[in-house]
């Protein structure tokens, strides 16, 4: 698992059959002796064997058993018609199956139907006009030339209907009716397209973030001009769908075509039909002139309003200065008017003295107050000294919570927070600045940056940069790692690492177990970083952010790669990992099943996986729940409502033959109970 192993080049030796195929493809026809010579030249360990032995044990058995070869006479062989017509077989398979296939799927289908091995099928479809290659989510599918790929039309349906769910049959039918597509030639691959998701009810919809980020395509003004010329010539009316088919390659709901026609006075739009409006060209020009005059008048009115506001503000400023000046002069110059009693806020002492002096007429005062505020009886006025003694007595009687309120001016003191020392980390500051700029669409300033601040930026902005990205709740991440209890001797995998938050917590957890100032522990931890922790994600942008986040925390991980862990990557080695952690929230059934199978394959016996998934998948009648029970021992299951309101499960799974242990199930009322669950488990 060392970093250097990733760079090793794998050399696959040629087998006997591949040498024979290549030789006959070059020569068209060859004798057994010529084929024997070719094999001895290409396969090193047969070079010094006798030609008779090679012919008898390797060449003849291969020629006779495989349907790739055909015998012309006693000692002469050529390629069979079956092998020479592989492209026709591929065409027939696609035509009969009515479903696009990848290169691997196509070769497997041909191999099954013609009794060949997939390695015997060197398909070359690039130069064949009957096939069309379509890329969907970084995977290439072969279509037939008369098929029409309609995923964009399916997306247009959801844009128009407000993203209401539709079944696959309803989507095909709606595309046929809405866009006049022939259902036989229309192909929709929603499961392969990352924009779409399948609900538990079997209906498809588009991920909300995709809809939120979607912007309609602008249509050139020349399209409107051409349509107007045709309408002026007496043609039409035209449907917006026909106009889109003729001028643009995008379904019209994904463009602003209808909005442009509606805003143009030359056209009248009704029920997605475009006609010539009843206004003449002169009337349209006059209407536009009137519109320009109104805009100009509105602009002038706004400017005058701003001038008036500016003038009023200037007058107010002058008035304030004048009042302040007058106050100062009033203090400096003697007053000619007779002295008047100035009440300075009626201090509390004067009020108290006045009230005490009038204590004898308290009943009359009460009567007066009742007449002003009916139903209100004033409380008797108590001197300050009496009040203090009463409070003290009440405190002795156990009523100490009754306290006199004093006016206190609180000074807000902001704690000094030291700036994070970016220089002390292993992060590349130039690379970090570029990433922040691309992530936030700002200037890329690193002022105030810290590991916590950068993690907040990733959680906030990544959903707008990467389709269907969902961040993990930090409380849940902490719980997953503490439940997993990673150790220094384990090999850890996060197959969907995202911004690397789970891996970061694993590294911190393991580092906390090291003995302080112990060089041997530090050296072992460096090996752990370099060889024993693997993070995979399909998005290059996300992986780059994860590397930077780890570097800000002074962790340099060698094996964080852009890869699909559902596939057989070089790093997904069978029975190698002792621990898997991951958040699979939001994954559909097909993806979840693929990830579980991959996890089972790469975990060693006794290895454990602690993962997060949607609770829907773990219902009793679900395929995923059955697969989990079949493959793993479920040690702990924690059910909770996440911060987004969705119900989730944290599962602690063990790859073990012994299934005698019972599953402990915890149903939480809130996330604050996660720590209590850990206390109960450990």
């Amino acid at each position: 698992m060392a970093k250097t192993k990733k760079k090793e080049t794998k050399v696959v030796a040629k087998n006997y059959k591949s040498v024979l195929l290549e030789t006959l493809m070059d020569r068209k026809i060859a004798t057994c002796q010529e084929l024997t010579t070719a094999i001895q030249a290409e396969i090193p360990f047969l070079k010094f064997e006798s030609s008779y032995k090679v012919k008898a044990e390797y060449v003849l058995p291969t020629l006779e058993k495989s349907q790739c070869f055909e015998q012309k006479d006693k000692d002469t062989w050529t390629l069979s018609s079956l092998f020479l017509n592989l492209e026709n077989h591929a065409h027939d398979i696609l035509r009969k199956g009515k479903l696009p296939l990848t290169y691997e799927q196509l070769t497997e289908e041909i191999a099954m139907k013609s009794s060949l091995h997939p390695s015997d099928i060197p398909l070359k479809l690039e130069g064949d006009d009957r096939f069309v290659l379509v890329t969907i989510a970084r995977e290439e599918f072969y279509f037939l030339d008369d098929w029409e790929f309609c995923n964009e039309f399916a997306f247009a349906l959801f844009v128009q209907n407000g993203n209401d769910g539709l079944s696959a049959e309803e989507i095909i039918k709606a595309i046929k009716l809405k866009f006049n597509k022939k259902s036989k030639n229309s192909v929709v691959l929603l499961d392969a397209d990352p924009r779409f998701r399948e609900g538990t009810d079997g209906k498809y919809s588009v991920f909300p973030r995709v809809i939120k980020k979607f912007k309609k395509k602008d249509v050139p003004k020349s399209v409107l001009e051409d349509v107007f010329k045709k309408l002026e010539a007496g043609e039409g009316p035209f449907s917006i769908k026909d106009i889109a088919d003729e001028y643009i390659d995008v379904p019209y709901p994904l463009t602003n075509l209808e909005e442009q026609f509606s805003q143009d006075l030359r056209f009248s739009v009704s029920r997605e039909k475009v006609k010539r409006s009843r206004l003449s060209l002169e009337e349209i020009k006059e209407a536009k002139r009137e519109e320009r005059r109104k805009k100009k008048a509105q602009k002038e009115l706004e400017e005058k309003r701003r001038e008036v506001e500016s003038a009023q503000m200037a007058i107010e400023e002058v008035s304030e200065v004048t009042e302040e000046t007058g106050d100062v002069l009033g203090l400096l110059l003697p007053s000619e008017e007779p002295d008047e009693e100035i009440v300075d806020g009626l201090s509390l002492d004067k009020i108290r003295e006045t009230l005490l002096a009038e204590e004898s007429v308290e009943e009359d005062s009460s009567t007066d107050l009742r007449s002003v505020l009916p139903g209100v009886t004033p409380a008797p006025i108590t001197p300050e000294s009496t009040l203090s003694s009463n409070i003290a007595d009440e405190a002795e009687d156990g009523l100490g919570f009754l306290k006199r309120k004093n006016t206190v001016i609180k000074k807000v003191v902001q704690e000094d927070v030291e700036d994070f020392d970016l220089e002390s980390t292993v992060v590349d500051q130039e690379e970090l600045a570029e990433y922040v700029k691309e992530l936030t669409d700002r200037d890329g300033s690193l002022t105030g940056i810290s590991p916590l601040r950068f993690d907040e930026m990733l959680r906030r902005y990544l959903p707008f940069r990467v389709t269907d990205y969902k961040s993990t709740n930090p409380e849940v991440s902490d719980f997953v790692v503490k439940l997993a209890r990673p150790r220094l001797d384990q090999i850890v995998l996060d197959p969907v690492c995202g911004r690397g938050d789970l891996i970061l917590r694993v590294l911190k957890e393991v580092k906390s177990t090291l003995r302080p100032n112990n060089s041997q522990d530090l050296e072992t931890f460096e090996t752990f970083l370099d060889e024993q922790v693997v993070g995979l994600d399909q998005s290059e942008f996300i992986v780059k952010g994860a590397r930077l986040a780890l570097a800000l925390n002074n962790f340099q991980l060698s094996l964080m790669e852009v890869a699909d862990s559902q596939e057989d990557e070089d790093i997904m080695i069978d029975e190698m990992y002792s621990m898997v952690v991951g958040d699979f929230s939001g994954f559909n059934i097909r993806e979840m099943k693929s990830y579980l199978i991959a996890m089972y394959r790469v975990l060693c016996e006794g290895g454990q996986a602690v993962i997060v998934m949607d609770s829907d998948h773990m219902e009793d009648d679900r395929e995923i729940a059955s697969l989990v029970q079949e493959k793993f021992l479920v040690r702990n299951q924690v059910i909770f409502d996440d911060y987004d309101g969705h119900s989730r499960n944290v599962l602690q799974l063990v790859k073990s033959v012994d299934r005698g242990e019972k599953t402990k199930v915890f149903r939480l009322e809130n996330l604050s109970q996660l720590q209590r669950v850990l206390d109960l488990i450990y």
Side-chain angles (χ1 to χ4, degrees):
M1 278 299 294
K3 187 176 180 180
T4 53
K5 290 185 180 180
K6 180 69 179 177
K7 299 180 180 179
E8 289 179 358
T9 303
K10 293 184 178 180
V11 179
V12 180
K14 293 182 179 180
N15 57 32
Y16 322 123
K17 192 183 291 184
S18 62
V19 174
L20 296 175
L21 287 171
E22 290 177 3
T23 304
L24 288 174
M25 287 175 71
D26 291 338
R27 302 185 186 184
K28 307 300 182 187
I29 190 169
T31 63
C32 276
Q33 186 57 46
E34 290 172 336
L35 295 172
T36 301
T37 303
I39 282 182
Q40 286 187 294
E42 291 286 346
I43 301 178
F45 75 90
L46 296 178
K47 187 175 294 184
F48 302 105
E49 296 285 347
S50 68
S51 59
Y52 177 80
K53 181 179 179 181
V54 173
K55 178 180 177 181
E57 294 184 7
Y58 301 102
V59 177
L60 280 175
T62 305
L63 292 172
E64 291 169 353
K65 289 180 181 178
S66 176
Q67 296 189 37
C68 297
F69 309 103
E70 185 177 297
Q71 190 173 12
K72 282 295 183 183
D73 53 40
K74 186 177 180 180
D75 196 43
T76 307
W77 294 81
T78 185
L79 293 173
S80 66
S81 58
L82 176 65
F83 180 82
L84 294 173
N85 291 288
L86 292 175
E87 290 76 11
N88 293 334
H89 285 288
H91 187 273
D92 291 342
I93 287 170
L94 291 176
R95 176 67 66 192
K96 291 177 182 178
K98 299 180 181 179
L99 186 69
L101 298 173
T102 63
Y103 182 89
E104 291 76 13
Q105 292 169 340
L106 204 49
T107 53
E108 287 176 4
E109 287 288 330
I110 295 173
M112 289 178 62
K113 293 191 176 183
S114 58
S115 300
L116 298 174
H117 191 273
S119 63
D120 299 338
I121 307 174
L123 276 178
K124 296 181 180 179
L125 306 180
E126 290 75 12
D128 197 323
D129 295 336
R130 297 175 297 174
F131 301 95
V132 178
L133 201 60
V134 176
T135 302
I136 309 172
R138 299 191 301 176
E139 196 166 18
E140 294 181 330
F141 290 83
Y142 281 98
F143 286 65
L144 295 183
D145 60 337
D146 58 344
W147 288 357
E148 188 167 5
F149 181 47
C150 293
N151 272 27
E152 286 300 319
F153 293 95
F155 181 68
L157 289 176
F158 291 113
V159 169
Q160 270 202 324
N161 73 359
N163 204 22
D164 289 337
L166 297 171
S167 66
E169 295 76 14
E170 290 172 337
I171 292 171
I172 294 292
K173 185 177 179 181
I175 289 174
K176 181 181 178 182
L177 295 175
K178 188 78 175 176
F179 303 104
N180 298 331
K181 300 294 179 186
K182 296 179 181 179
S183 57
K184 291 183 179 180
N185 296 334
S186 301
V187 179
V188 178
L189 284 181
L190 301 183
D191 290 332
D193 195 325
R195 295 177 297 177
F196 300 94
R197 62 179 179 182
E198 184 180 7
T200 55
D201 57 356
K203 292 189 175 184
Y204 289 90
S205 61
V206 178
F207 281 101
R209 283 192 292 270
V210 178
I211 294 287
K212 187 176 181 180
K213 292 170 59 178
F214 167 72
K215 292 183 180 179
K216 290 190 174 183
K217 180 181 178 181
D218 292 328
V219 177
K221 297 291 185 183
S222 58
V223 174
L224 277 68
E225 296 296 332
D226 288 347
V227 174
F228 179 72
K229 289 178 182 178
K230 290 182 179 180
L231 291 173
E232 284 286 86
E235 299 181 39
F238 303 106
S239 71
I240 296 179
K241 184 263 172 192
D242 292 336
I243 296 171
D245 288 347
E246 182 177 354
Y247 291 98
I248 55 180
D249 297 328
V250 181
Y252 73 87
L254 305 184
T255 70
N256 62 351
L257 191 60
E258 187 171 1
E259 290 86 342
Q260 286 188 321
F261 278 120
S262 300
Q263 294 170 5
D264 198 319
L265 296 175
R266 296 175 297 175
F267 306 100
S268 174
V269 181
S270 177
R271 296 181 180 180
E272 298 185 351
K273 292 279 187 179
V274 178
K275 300 185 292 185
R276 174 71 169 86
S277 71
R278 296 180 180 180
L279 298 174
S280 65
L281 290 178
E282 286 300 322
E283 290 174 330
I284 293 172
K285 290 180 181 178
E286 181 59 33
K288 289 183 177 179
R289 283 195 290 268
E290 181 64 26
E291 187 179 355
R292 285 196 295 270
R293 282 196 293 268
K294 287 182 179 179
K295 287 183 178 179
K296 185 177 179 181
Q298 182 69 23
K299 186 177 180 181
E300 291 175 352
L301 185 63
E302 288 291 328
E303 290 178 354
K304 287 182 180 179
R305 184 179 62 79
R306 284 195 293 269
E307 290 176 0
V308 170
E309 289 178 354
S310 300
Q312 288 177 345
M313 290 176 63
I315 291 171
E316 289 174 359
E317 290 176 359
V318 172
S319 300
E320 290 176 1
V321 172
T322 305
E323 290 175 2
E324 291 174 1
T325 307
D327 293 341
V328 174
L329 291 174
L331 293 172
L332 296 175
L333 297 176
S335 174
E336 297 180 358
E337 297 181 0
D339 295 337
E340 295 182 359
E341 183 180 359
I342 300 175
V343 181
D344 186 16
L346 286 177
S347 67
L348 292 176
D349 294 335
K350 291 183 178 180
I351 293 173
R352 187 178 295 108
E353 291 173 3
T354 304
L355 292 174
L356 289 173
E358 297 176 355
E359 205 169 9
S360 58
V361 290
E362 187 177 8
E363 291 183 2
D364 297 337
S365 301
S366 301
T367 306
D368 295 340
L369 285 171
R370 287 193 195 96
S371 62
V372 178
L373 301 173
V376 175
T377 304
I381 307 301
T382 307
E384 185 177 357
S385 58
T386 308
L387 181 65
S388 302
S389 61
N390 289 342
I391 292 174
D393 295 339
E394 289 174 351
E396 292 176 359
D397 294 337
L399 301 176
F401 61 89
L402 294 173
K403 295 182 180 179
R404 181 184 178 187
K405 293 183 179 179
N406 295 320
T407 305
V408 179
I409 300 175
K410 294 183 179 181
K411 184 178 179 182
V412 179
V413 181
Q414 186 174 4
E415 295 182 2
D416 294 331
V417 180
E418 295 183 2
D419 292 335
F420 178 72
D421 186 7
L422 196 60
E423 298 290 341
S424 65
T425 67
V426 295
V427 72
D428 185 330
Q429 295 188 33
E430 185 176 346
E431 184 181 3
L432 179 61
E434 291 177 0
Y435 188 84
V436 169
K437 184 176 181 181
E438 187 177 358
L439 177 69
T440 62
D441 284 336
R442 296 179 183 173
D443 58 358
S445 172
L446 298 182
T447 305
I449 199 72
S450 67
L452 181 60
R453 172 62 180 150
F454 186 63
D455 186 65
E456 290 174 352
M457 293 168 67
L458 290 174
R459 283 191 284 137
R460 179 179 178 183
Y461 292 104
L462 275 179
F464 301 102
R465 292 295 177 198
V466 180
T467 303
D468 192 33
Y469 172 78
K470 177 190 172 297
S471 63
T472 307
N473 188 334
E475 292 180 73
V476 177
S477 297
D478 286 334
F479 176 75
V480 166
V481 174
K482 288 177 181 177
L483 182 60
R485 303 177 84 174
R487 302 190 310 270
L488 198 58
D489 61 337
Q490 293 177 319
I491 301 178
V492 183
L493 168 68
D494 186 345
V496 284
C497 68
R499 68 182 195 280
D501 52 331
L502 283 174
I503 287 181
L504 176 60
R505 284 166 171 80
V506 167
L507 297 178
K508 288 183 176 180
E509 188 76 12
V510 172
K511 190 175 181 180
S512 67
T513 63
L514 304 181
R515 291 171 292 182
N517 303 322
N518 187 289
S519 58
Q520 184 178 355
D521 280 8
L522 291 175
E523 185 178 346
T524 307
F525 185 68
E526 288 298 322
T527 306
F528 181 75
L529 286 175
D530 198 46
E531 300 181 4
Q532 295 172 230
V533 184
V534 178
L536 304 178
D537 200 282
Q538 297 183 46
S539 170
E540 184 176 355
F541 188 73
I542 287 180
V543 170
K544 186 176 180 181
R547 289 200 191 103
L548 291 169
L550 292 176
L552 273 172
N553 287 274
N554 270 326
F555 296 120
Q556 283 186 307
L557 202 65
S558 302
L559 298 172
M560 181 165 280
E561 305 288 343
V562 181
D564 184 359
S565 53
Q566 299 176 80
E567 300 177 356
D568 290 334
E569 300 289 341
D570 292 343
I571 213 162
M572 297 290 287
I573 300 174
D574 293 359
E575 299 184 356
M576 183 184 74
Y577 295 94
S578 48
M579 177 176 291
V580 175
V581 292
D583 182 1
F584 298 92
S585 303
F587 285 83
N588 60 38
I589 294 175
R590 178 182 58 82
E591 293 170 327
M592 199 66 246
K593 181 179 179 181
S594 179
Y595 279 117
L596 284 170
I597 293 173
M599 280 192 288
Y600 181 80
R601 178 170 57 84
V602 301
L603 273 174
C604 63
E605 183 65 24
Q608 70 165 334
V610 181
I611 62 173
V612 186
M613 71 163 67
D614 294 331
S615 296
D616 293 344
H617 294 323
M618 288 304 294
E619 293 180 9
D620 293 338
D621 58 341
R622 297 297 179 187
E623 181 181 1
I624 298 302
S626 302
L627 181 63
V628 169
Q629 295 290 340
E630 176 189 343
K631 295 288 186 183
F632 299 96
L633 162 67
V634 184
R635 180 163 288 166
N636 291 291
Q637 180 181 6
V638 183
I639 306 167
F640 62 93
D641 289 335
D642 210 341
Y643 68 97
D644 57 0
H646 289 88
S647 180
R648 312 251 189 248
N649 276 201
V650 172
L651 300 177
Q652 186 178 26
L653 311 175
V654 181
K655 182 178 178 180
S656 174
V657 179
D658 182 13
R659 303 292 177 84
E661 185 177 344
K662 292 185 178 180
T663 303
K664 295 179 182 177
V665 180
F666 303 88
R667 298 182 184 273
L668 309 186
E669 295 180 359
N670 52 67
L671 291 177
S672 63
Q673 296 176 334
L674 288 172
Q675 181 58 47
R676 177 60 177 158
V677 172
L678 288 173
D679 295 339
L680 292 172
I681 293 174
Y682 295 123

